[in-house]
Amino acid sequence: MNFNFLKKSLSNKSFYFKMVVFIFLVVASCASNDKPKKIYAFNFQNPSLSIDERVQDLLGQMTLQEKVSQMRYDAPSIERLGIPEYNWWNECLHGVARAGEATVFPQGIGMGATWNAPLIFKMGTAVSDEARAKHHKAIVEGKRGIYQGLTFWTPNINIFRDPRWGRGQETYGEDPYLTSRIGVNYIKALQGDDDKHLKVVATAKHFAVHSGPEKSRHEDNYQTSNRDLYETYLPAFEAAVKEAKVHSVMCAYNRYRDEACCGSNLLLNKILRDDWGFGGYVVSDCWAINDFWEPNKHNLVETPEEAAALAVDRGTDLNCGSVYDPNLTEAVLKKLIDEPKVDLALSRLFIARFKLGMFDPAENVKWSKIPYEVVASEEHYALSEKIARESMVLLKNDNNTLPLNKNIKSIAVIGPNADSRQVLLGNYHGTPKNNYTPLLAIKNKLPNATVNYAIGSDIAVGWPTLNAIPSTVLRNGTKKGLKGEYFKNVDWKGNPEFTRNDEVIDFTWVGERPMDNLKKDVFSVKWTGELVPDVSGAYRIGLRASSGGKLYFNDTLRFEFSDDHEPKTHYFDADLVEGEVNTIKIEYYNYHADPQAQLVWAKTDADLITPAIDAAKKSEVVLLFLGLSPSIEGEEMPVLLEGFDKGDRSEISLPKTQVELMKKIQALGKPTVLVLMNGSALAVNWAADNVPAILEAWYPGEFGGKAIADVLFGDYNPGGKLPVTFYKSVNDLPDFKNYNMENRTYKYFKGEPLFPFGHGLSYTNFSYSALNIQDSIVANEPITVSVNVTNAGEIAGDEVVQLYLTHKGDTSGPKRSLVGFNRIHLKVNETKTVNFTVTPKQYGIIAPDGKYSIKTGLLTFSVGGKQPGFKNLADASTTNSMQKTILLQ
C-alpha cells in the first residue's frame, strides 16, 4: 500500500475536512433510505409529480390512434405504456347498480320524498363505500369490465316537469331547489372529502333540457324562454358544478335550440365551462353522437367523422358508444378537427383517472382500504330501511283509519304489487340479498293473523304478472325441471364444464357464480327439456335475464336478445293444452357482473278478481297494493299498452284493471287502505274520494315492504312529503313536448291538484309560532327567517318545515317558489326553532336575457308543513302555518 498519499492527505486539513463531511453525508443518506429510490419507466407513473405533469407526459407518449381509443367508454389497454383497459360505464342511481350484490336503496323519487338532504349524504357515503370495495375486489380478480370502474353516471337531476315521463322515477322531483339540495349532498358524498383523490366520480345528467318523451328523444328539438332555462332547467346543474364540484356531466340525447345537447356551444362551452367554470369532463349519453347523422334523427351532419369532430369540438370528451373510434382519427386526418382539441378532451379524461388514484400505489389511496365487508352490510341495510321509512308519504287518512291494530285476526293483502320483487327496485338497481315485499313484511309483522293473499289483477291490460314456471310442469326425461349445460364461454361451444338438472330456472347469482374461476364473469348455459301444462289456456311465456340469449319453443325461435344491461323480460304468447308436450330450449349467456335468468309465465285468461274478492270477504281489513311497475315505466321501452307509450305514459290514471279491482273490493264495505307503489304521480281520483286511507310508497328498495308495514301498523310515524304534484287528469297538462313551464309544476299550475307538491300527513299534529322576519330588507342583503315548531300531538314524529317565497311585483313569475326546507324530529310537546337564510339570488328575478336582477317591492314568505293555499285536504298534521309580507327596498 502507498502510505505517502495518506500522509500527504492527512497534512492537508482542508482535504481531510471535506472527506469527513463526504463520508458523513454518504452514511446519513444510506441510513435515511431503507430502500433504493424507485425508478419509473415513464414520468407519468411517478406519483410525486403533479397530475398535470403526469397527464401531459402520458399524452406525449401516445399516438393519435391510441389517444382516440381512450375516448370511448370501453377504453382498451395500451400495453407498451402500461395503461390497463378501463370501462367508464357504471351506475349508482340508488345503490351500486348492475354489478351483483349491493344494498338497494329507495329509487330517486323516494329519495326526493324524504326531503332530507343530510340523510341522502349518508346514503351517498354508503354507496361510494360499496363502490370502492367492489372496484378493488374486481381489480384483484383481474376484472376491469363494465360496471366495475369508479366513474358513475349518477345522479339524474333533470326536473320532473311532466308526470308522463317514464324516467322521472330517477329524479328528485319537480322543484329545482329541492333537486339541487338532494343532488349536491349525494354528489359530495359520492366523490368524498379527500384533497388528493376522488372517492368516485359522480356525473350530473342529462344536461340540460331533458325529460321526455322517451320514444322521440333521438330527434326532438326543444325550445324554452331564457327564464324557464335559468329558473327551472339549470339551477340543479349549476349547484352540482359550483357547490358539489361534480367532476363529470352527461349531455342529453335531444337538441336544444337547434343544437344537439352533446354538440351544443351554448350548453357545453358558454354555460358549463365559461359561465360556471366547470373543469371536469363531459360524457355523451349512450350512442347519442350517432343521432347527429343517422337517418330520421337530428340530421346535423352527414358522416360519422363529422359527428365525432362536432362533438369533440363542442366539448364532449368521452363517447358512450363507438363513434369516436376510429372516426375521430379520420376526422383529424381530414382536418375536420385539430389534434390539440383531441388532446384537450383526453387530458380531462386522464385527469379524472389520476384523481381516482388509478396510477398510484394502492397504499397511497385512502379509499382503497375500504373492506369488501361494507357491501350489503347490516349498517347499510339499516340505512336503506331508514330512507325507505322517511320516503313514505301519507296522502289521506280519514277518521284516523291508520295506523291499524296489530291484534287483528285476519287481513287481506291484494294487488299486483303486493308480492312483486321488481316493484321494490325501480330501474337502474343492484341485486339485493333481501326482498321484503309488502306481503312478506306483513306476514312477519302479524305472525298470529291469517293473511289472505290474492294478486287481484294484472298491472295493466295486456301486462300480466309473470312468475317462475314451477318444476311440476317442466321435465327432461324422467326428471322434473330442465337439463342445464354450463360453459365457460358465451357461445355454448365445446364440452360443458358440467351438466346438471335444474328443477326451476330462477337464478340470481348474488355474490357467487355457477362455476369457479370465471374470467370476467363470462359464462353461458343451455337449458333443454319439455313444458307440459297442467291447465289449458292462453299463456305468456318469458325469460327475464341480463346480458343476452335465445328461447326456442317447439323447435321455433321465439325471441332473441342481447346487451341487456339490467334484467328485462322477453316473452311470447301461446295457447297451451293440458298434458300436451312442448319442447323448450334456452340459450343464455352472461358477460358482466350481474348474472340473472328466470323462466317465467302467466295464464293470461285467468280470473284474478274472484279470488281477490274471496280473500277480502273473509278478512277484517283489506290492504290494496296498486300502482305501476318499472317493467312498464322507464327508459325507452318497447312497451305499447293502453295508457303507456314506449316507457312513458299517455294517461296518468291507474290502469283500468286496477281501478276495476279497487272498486269491487271497496264495494264490499270492508275497511280498506290503498298503498301506491310507483315512480310517478298518479291520478287516483276515485280512490281520493272513496278510499279512507292512501299511502304513497314509491319504489322503496329491498326493505320497502318493512317500511310500509311499519307505517301501516304504527311502528313508524310517516313524515315524507310529495316531491311532485299529483294532477287529476292528463287533460290538465300542456303537450308533453312543450318545455315551457306555463301551467306546469306547483310553481305555475293554474288548476286544482289532486294532491299538491309538499303534501304529506302525519299521525301527530304540529303547530307553528313566533315567525320572525324583519319588516323590510335592503336589496342584495340576505333575509333571515326563523319559526318555532311544536309537536302538539300524542306521538313523536318528523315535520318537514317548508319555506316558500312569492314576489308580489313579478306578475309573470311563479305563484311561489320553495326557498328553504328542513326535516326535524319532535318528541311530544317538544318545540324547536328552525332558521333559514334566503339569498339575494333566491329572491331575485330572471330577466328575458337570463340574467338575475333585484326588483324592489313586496315579498311574501309562507312557512309550514305544506305548500300554502290548499284548504280542501284533510290535513290534521299541520294545524298552523304562517305567512308574512315584507318590503324589499
Side-chain angles (χ1 to χ4, degrees):
M1 176 177 277
N2 185 355
F3 290 96
N4 293 328
F5 172 76
L6 181 59
K7 291 177 181 178
K8 185 176 180 181
S9 299
L10 289 172
S11 64
N12 187 334
K13 293 182 180 179
S14 175
F15 176 82
Y16 178 72
F17 177 77
K18 290 178 182 177
M19 287 295 294
V20 169
V21 170
F22 174 75
I23 293 170
F24 173 80
L25 291 174
V26 169
V27 171
S29 175
C30 292
S32 65
N33 290 279
D34 297 327
K35 49 188 177 181
K37 194 170 184 180
K38 184 167 175 121
I39 299 175
Y40 298 97
F42 303 99
N43 284 338
F44 72 81
Q45 297 170 330
N46 186 350
S48 66
L49 298 178
S50 71
I51 287 178
D52 284 342
E53 288 176 311
R54 298 172 75 182
V55 169
Q56 291 308 312
D57 177 71
L58 174 58
L59 264 62
Q61 314 281 348
M62 298 170 71
T63 67
L64 175 60
Q65 289 82 359
E66 288 172 335
K67 292 174 184 178
V68 169
S69 74
Q70 300 300 297
M71 294 172 66
R72 57 184 293 158
Y73 78 96
D74 51 348
S77 64
I78 305 176
E79 293 184 9
R80 71 178 187 87
L81 297 176
I83 304 297
E85 67 176 300
Y86 183 67
N87 197 304
W88 293 81
W89 191 337
N90 215 333
E91 309 280 358
C92 64
L93 183 64
H94 52 119
V96 178
R98 302 175 176 178
E101 62 179 343
T103 306
V104 179
F105 294 86
Q107 177 60 291
I109 193 68
M111 294 162 63
T114 68
W115 290 60
N116 191 340
L119 180 63
I120 302 307
F121 183 91
K122 292 180 180 179
M123 174 182 159
T125 300
V127 171
S128 52
D129 279 353
E130 294 197 10
R132 267 287 177 174
K134 292 176 78 67
H135 169 74
H136 291 291
K137 182 175 184 289
I139 294 300
V140 168
E141 295 173 351
K143 299 174 182 177
R144 297 176 179 271
I146 192 170
Y147 309 130
Q148 292 173 326
L150 290 173
T151 43
F152 287 85
W153 297 346
T154 298
N156 184 341
I157 54 174
N158 291 133
I159 297 304
F160 198 178
R161 67 183 176 93
D162 193 302
R164 288 169 285 198
W165 188 33
R167 295 191 73 181
Q169 61 174 287
E170 303 172 22
T171 75
Y172 308 134
E174 69 183 34
D175 181 70
Y177 182 72
L178 175 62
T179 297
S180 71
R181 295 309 90 204
I182 300 292
V184 163
N185 276 269
Y186 198 41
I187 291 166
K188 283 185 173 181
L190 289 177
Q191 296 194 157
D193 58 358
D194 186 54
D195 292 336
K196 186 172 184 181
H197 292 115
L198 290 165
K199 194 175 185 184
V200 306
V201 165
T203 301
K205 66 183 186 185
H206 310 82
F207 194 60
V209 184
H210 179 81
S211 53
E214 284 297 300
K215 69 179 181 181
S216 57
R217 62 183 183 171
H218 301 283
E219 62 192 64
D220 285 344
N221 181 26
Y222 302 131
Q223 308 288 336
T224 71
S225 67
N226 278 326
R227 175 157 199 168
D228 287 343
L229 176 64
Y230 283 91
E231 180 186 87
T232 298
Y233 296 109
L234 293 184
F237 285 98
E238 183 176 10
V241 170
K242 291 184 176 180
E243 293 182 56
K245 310 299 181 186
V246 71
H247 200 76
S248 172
V249 169
M250 176 180 281
C251 49
Y253 285 108
N254 54 278
R255 278 171 289 155
Y256 178 66
R257 294 184 180 175
D258 305 324
E259 292 184 306
C261 291
C262 290
S264 172
N265 190 56
L266 171 66
L267 294 177
L268 301 184
N269 288 320
K270 182 188 182 303
I271 294 174
L272 185 61
R273 295 200 182 276
D274 295 344
D275 295 348
W276 296 348
F278 176 66
Y281 66 88
V282 174
V283 55
S284 75
D285 209 335
C286 294
W287 282 264
I289 310 302
N290 295 57
D291 297 342
F292 288 18
W293 89 89
E294 288 184 350
N296 304 315
K297 295 182 178 177
H298 294 323
N299 296 318
L300 296 172
V301 295
E302 295 183 355
T303 66
E305 294 87 354
E306 292 173 298
L310 174 61
V312 174
D313 181 67
R314 295 292 174 84
T316 299
D317 307 302
L318 177 67
N319 179 212
C320 179
S322 54
V323 176
Y324 286 2
D325 188 14
N327 300 302
L328 189 55
T329 300
E330 290 298 311
V332 173
L333 296 176
K334 292 178 179 179
K335 299 189 176 180
L336 299 175
I337 188 171
D338 296 330
E339 189 168 352
K341 288 199 172 180
V342 174
D343 290 349
L344 176 61
L346 186 57
S347 69
R348 293 168 181 157
L349 299 181
F350 270 107
I351 285 171
R353 291 178 69 174
F354 277 101
K355 282 190 172 183
L356 288 165
M358 291 182 172
F359 298 95
D360 292 351
E363 60 269 20
N364 291 2
V365 182
K366 168 183 174 180
W367 310 114
S368 69
K369 301 172 181 64
I370 297 173
Y372 192 80
E373 287 70 28
V374 302
V375 176
S377 63
E378 292 299 324
E379 180 183 356
H380 292 178
Y381 286 167
L383 182 59
S384 177
E385 187 173 350
K386 177 178 175 60
I387 296 171
R389 282 174 153 192
E390 293 204 13
S391 72
M392 299 289 129
V393 181
L394 185 57
L395 297 178
K396 183 183 179 184
N397 192 25
D398 285 358
N399 302 317
N400 295 320
T401 300
L402 295 175
L404 299 171
N405 191 326
K406 281 186 279 190
N407 294 321
I408 197 168
K409 300 298 183 185
S410 62
I411 188 167
V413 177
I414 297 171
N417 286 344
D419 197 33
S420 170
R421 286 187 267 177
Q422 189 177 6
V423 170
L424 295 175
L425 307 181
N427 68 358
Y428 283 89
H429 58 81
T431 302
K433 289 184 178 179
N434 306 282
N435 288 283
Y436 280 96
T437 66
L439 177 62
L440 175 60
I442 290 165
K443 285 181 175 179
N444 291 343
K445 181 76 71 175
L446 307 175
N448 299 318
T450 299
V451 179
N452 300 306
Y453 166 67
I455 193 169
S457 76
D458 293 332
I459 196 75
V461 176
W463 199 261
T465 299
L466 302 174
N467 296 305
I469 298 181
S471 62
T472 54
V473 298
L474 297 174
R475 71 187 189 193
N476 67 101
T478 60
K479 299 176 181 178
K480 290 183 178 180
L482 301 180
K483 175 185 176 182
E485 299 173 90
Y486 289 75
F487 300 82
K488 282 189 175 180
N489 53 54
V490 293
D491 48 15
W492 315 279
K493 288 184 177 179
N495 295 321
E497 290 294 310
F498 62 86
T499 300
R500 73 184 187 194
N501 184 69
D502 290 323
E503 289 197 357
V504 179
I505 313 305
D506 188 8
F507 295 104
T508 301
W509 288 280
V510 181
E512 58 184 17
R513 295 295 179 264
M515 291 169 280
D516 296 330
N517 302 316
L518 281 174
K519 179 69 174 176
K520 298 184 178 180
D521 297 307
V522 170
F523 68 93
S524 60
V525 187
K526 183 185 294 182
W527 285 289
T528 53
E530 298 170 342
L531 188 156
V532 186
D534 51 8
V535 177
S536 298
Y539 286 83
R540 176 162 294 176
I541 300 170
L543 183 66
R544 177 173 168 79
S546 56
S547 296
K550 306 173 185 178
L551 189 146
Y552 297 85
F553 196 74
N554 290 330
D555 300 321
T556 300
L557 177 64
R558 296 305 181 104
F559 55 76
E560 181 177 2
F561 62 98
S562 62
D563 295 328
D564 277 3
H565 293 288
E566 64 184 13
K568 296 177 184 174
T569 303
H570 303 267
Y571 63 88
F572 66 96
D573 294 327
D575 292 324
L576 303 181
V577 178
E578 178 184 351
E580 188 173 283
V581 175
N582 302 274
T583 62
I584 189 166
K585 179 172 72 171
I586 301 167
E587 294 180 335
Y588 164 74
Y589 67 87
N590 181 76
Y591 61 83
H592 65 70
D594 198 22
Q596 301 183 41
Q598 292 102 31
L599 179 62
V600 293
W601 74 346
K603 194 169 184 295
T604 57
D605 56 358
D607 175 12
L608 301 178
I609 285 187
T610 298
I613 292 175
D614 290 343
K617 284 181 176 178
K618 56 189 179 184
S619 303
E620 297 173 54
V621 175
V622 179
L623 301 178
L624 282 173
F625 290 88
L626 308 180
L628 302 175
S629 166
S631 65
I632 54 176
E633 66 164 345
E635 182 178 5
E636 199 175 12
M637 294 175 161
V639 176
L640 277 174
L641 300 169
E642 182 179 6
F644 298 88
D645 188 9
K646 298 293 185 73
D648 297 321
R649 290 188 290 153
S650 53
E651 296 290 339
I652 61 172
S653 55
L654 269 178
K656 288 181 179 179
T657 52
Q658 299 185 58
V659 174
E660 180 186 3
L661 170 66
M662 178 171 53
K663 288 182 177 180
K664 289 188 175 182
I665 294 296
Q666 182 68 13
L668 299 176
K670 299 285 182 125
T672 301
V673 176
L674 171 60
V675 180
L676 297 173
M677 301 179 74
N678 43 281
S680 51
L682 285 164
V684 287
N685 303 354
W686 190 90
D689 291 336
N690 294 280
V691 179
I694 306 174
L695 178 69
E696 174 58 72
W698 316 106
Y699 298 138
E702 63 183 294
F703 294 94
K706 291 184 70 175
I708 291 169
D710 286 345
V711 171
L712 294 178
F713 292 95
D715 290 325
Y716 183 76
N717 184 1
K721 304 288 183 178
L722 289 181
V724 290
T725 301
F726 274 44
Y727 303 93
K728 292 182 177 180
S729 170
V730 72
N731 296 326
D732 292 338
L733 300 169
D735 183 86
F736 194 2
K737 290 189 179 185
N738 181 349
Y739 268 69
N740 290 318
M741 292 307 297
E742 183 180 0
N743 208 34
R744 288 193 182 280
T745 76
Y746 78 96
K747 299 174 78 169
Y748 286 97
F749 184 55
K750 298 173 184 176
E752 181 182 348
L754 182 65
F755 297 109
F757 172 88
H759 170 67
L761 308 181
S762 172
Y763 294 154
T764 191
N765 303 314
F766 301 99
S767 63
Y768 287 73
S769 62
L771 175 62
N772 184 18
I773 316 174
Q774 57 267 56
D775 292 329
S776 62
I777 185 73
V778 176
N780 292 308
E781 290 293 322
I783 301 172
T784 57
V785 179
S786 66
V787 68
N788 289 346
V789 187
T790 302
N791 184 345
E794 299 178 353
I795 182 175
D798 287 3
E799 172 74 319
V800 177
V801 185
Q802 304 168 43
L803 180 65
Y804 293 89
L805 167 65
T806 299
H807 203 302
K808 294 291 188 179
D810 184 16
T811 56
S812 62
K815 294 187 296 184
R816 61 188 64 92
S817 298
L818 181 72
V819 292
F821 64 91
N822 192 349
R823 183 165 181 153
I824 59 173
H825 182 78
L826 292 171
K827 300 174 184 176
V828 176
N829 295 323
E830 183 181 9
T831 298
K832 287 184 178 178
T833 300
V834 179
N835 299 291
F836 299 100
T837 299
V838 181
T839 66
K841 189 170 184 178
Q842 287 181 289
Y843 63 73
I845 294 175
I846 300 173
D849 62 359
K851 303 296 184 184
Y852 281 89
S853 64
I854 304 295
K855 290 188 177 180
T856 58
L858 298 177
L859 304 179
T860 297
F861 289 93
S862 301
V863 63
K866 58 182 179 180
Q867 189 187 158
F870 297 97
K871 302 183 184 300
N872 61 330
L873 296 168
D875 190 347
S877 66
T878 301
T879 58
N880 188 19
S881 58
M882 306 192 74
Q883 185 170 294
K884 183 174 181 179
T885 299
I886 69 169
L887 177 64
L888 178 66
Q889 57 184 3

